[in-house]
Amino acid sequence: MAATPIILDCDPGIDDAIAMLLALASPEVDLLAVTTVVGNTSLVNATRNALDVLEWAGRPDIPVAAGEAVAIGPPNDIPWNDAIGVHGETGLDGANLPRAQATTVDEHAVELIARTVLGRPGEITLVATGPLTNVALLLERHPAVGPALRDLVVMGGSLVGGNMSPQAEFNIWCDADAAAQVLALGLNPVVVGLDVTRRATLSEADVYGLEQLPTLGPGIHGMLKFYLERHIVWHGLNVVQQHDSLALAWVIDPTLLSLTPRAIRVDATDGEGRGETYVDEDPGAQPTARWADDLHAARFRELLLERLSALADAR
Ligand code: BDR
Ligand code: CA
């Protein structure tokens, strides 16, 4: 079967970097471009990290385009301050990657995505693993892009408690206005939230095992070791949750997730619930998303470890 062409819109970010590596390692997908957005770290850091990961992994030819440096809605100052404790000052602490020679393309993320998708209508899947700021602007400025996508996959949201507030998940919390806009468009995205990503984990032993891989092993291990230590500090967990690579993995193998049509809404008010995702209980409410409510966690873990190993061997 032909590889699915994808664009990854992300905020690397340790688990975003792992999602990038999973894409590069997987013949089922063809990573056409990486676009960046403020989120886990500043736009400058996220863009540098994307370039560094691609070049280190042997794919400096994949274009990187920078997107938005601030959210559409509040908190539109520097939401990434809140993620330093998880991803570090650089956004990719622990990895110690060599600095890339490649630079970004001379095109805004939104324009790159629009041009690429409209040039291949019905073919490209957009995977968003950061705040939805770029995606909301894309669909507002270029309304023809939504229907021209093969699919839209979003990592974000939760119906089982948040990681930024009691109910709000980080990506949605960072730009609740953007997320509300995207979900209101009727595109019916696949939404992969904490309901499943909290169960998509690598163990401490897995993280240490990755250090033994050739070439990329120390970098992968370094970033995941940092991430693991943060999971211990923040959540008392000695596993690392792989939020973003699980969303990417759905494109590789859709049978990894169970999806249910749900009328998901985003609280974009100024109240305490800002950034929460919830189900609209109105009996007439139409589904807005294909919500991931279950996963094959063991199969996902095997896929991720096998692909990271194959990528390191091939490098
Ligand atoms: C999401 O927030 C970020 O910290 C991760 O990269 C992931 O995209 C999980 O809530
Ligand atoms: Ca992310």
Side-chain angles (χ1 to χ4, degrees):
M1 229 171 77
T4 303
I6 64 169
I7 298 175
L8 179 61
D9 185 69
C10 59
D11 60 336
I14 293 170
D15 60 326
D16 299 81
I18 298 294
M20 290 172 69
L21 297 176
L22 178 60
L24 296 179
S26 298
E28 298 88 346
V29 298
D30 177 13
L31 183 59
L32 300 180
V34 175
T35 54
T36 55
V37 64
V38 66
N40 285 325
T41 189
S42 67
L43 179 70
V44 169
N45 284 356
T47 306
R48 185 204 55 229
N49 293 341
L51 289 163
D52 287 353
V53 169
L54 289 174
E55 195 155 312
W56 169 66
R59 294 300 308 273
D61 55 300
I62 294 177
V64 175
E68 291 298 298
V70 292
I72 291 171
N76 52 10
D77 43 4
I78 39 172
W80 47 273
N81 268 348
D82 290 284
I84 284 175
V86 180
H87 300 266
E89 294 279 346
T90 65
L92 203 55
D93 274 22
N96 293 320
L97 303 188
R99 200 69 333 126
Q101 302 290 310
T103 54
T104 53
V105 295
D106 192 16
E107 192 175 26
H108 188 280
V110 161
E111 302 309 319
L112 180 145
I113 300 170
R115 179 179 54 75
T116 310
V117 171
L118 294 174
R120 298 176 67 173
E123 289 185 37
I124 296 172
T125 294
L126 177 60
V127 182
T129 62
L132 288 167
T133 315
N134 287 346
V135 179
L137 286 174
L138 167 76
L139 299 171
E140 186 179 277
R141 285 186 198 156
H142 301 279
V145 167
L149 285 169
R150 172 169 170 169
D151 229 323
L152 173 61
V153 184
V154 170
M155 190 282 130
S158 178
L159 299 177
V160 294
N163 56 6
M164 279 311 294
S165 77
Q167 299 302 328
E169 180 278 333
F170 180 80
N171 287 341
I172 305 298
W173 175 89
C174 275
D175 199 345
D177 293 77
Q181 282 181 35
V182 170
L183 277 182
L185 288 173
L187 295 173
N188 198 26
V190 171
V191 182
V192 181
L194 298 180
D195 305 37
V196 283
T197 67
R198 274 190 175 144
R199 292 184 276 147
T201 56
L202 296 182
S203 68
E204 193 171 356
D206 293 335
V207 171
Y208 281 89
L210 288 164
E211 190 174 19
Q212 307 311 318
L213 296 178
T215 62
L216 306 179
I220 295 172
H221 169 259
M223 66 177 98
L224 286 179
K225 180 169 175 283
F226 181 88
Y227 203 37
L228 175 68
E229 284 162 2
R230 309 324 294 165
H231 277 65
I232 294 168
V233 169
W234 291 108
H235 309 299
L237 292 173
N238 66 343
V239 293
V240 270
Q241 296 165 340
Q242 298 301 311
H243 308 286
D244 294 343
S245 52
L246 181 63
L248 196 290
W250 179 81
V251 187
I252 296 169
D253 180 358
T255 70
L256 288 170
L257 294 175
S258 304
L259 305 179
T260 306
R262 291 194 193 281
I264 300 290
R265 307 256 185 256
V266 174
D267 185 338
T269 64
D270 287 338
E272 279 183 9
R274 185 173 174 77
E276 293 179 11
T277 40
Y278 60 95
V279 177
D280 186 340
E281 303 289 358
D282 184 321
Q286 293 301 308
T288 59
R290 286 165 285 162
W291 184 262
D293 48 20
D294 208 354
L295 82 159
H296 290 280
R299 279 176 47 214
F300 166 72
R301 172 183 164 275
E302 275 163 32
L303 174 85
L304 183 57
L305 291 174
E306 173 208 303
R307 297 296 167 93
L308 292 176
S309 170
L311 188 69
D313 283 342
R315 180 79 178 99

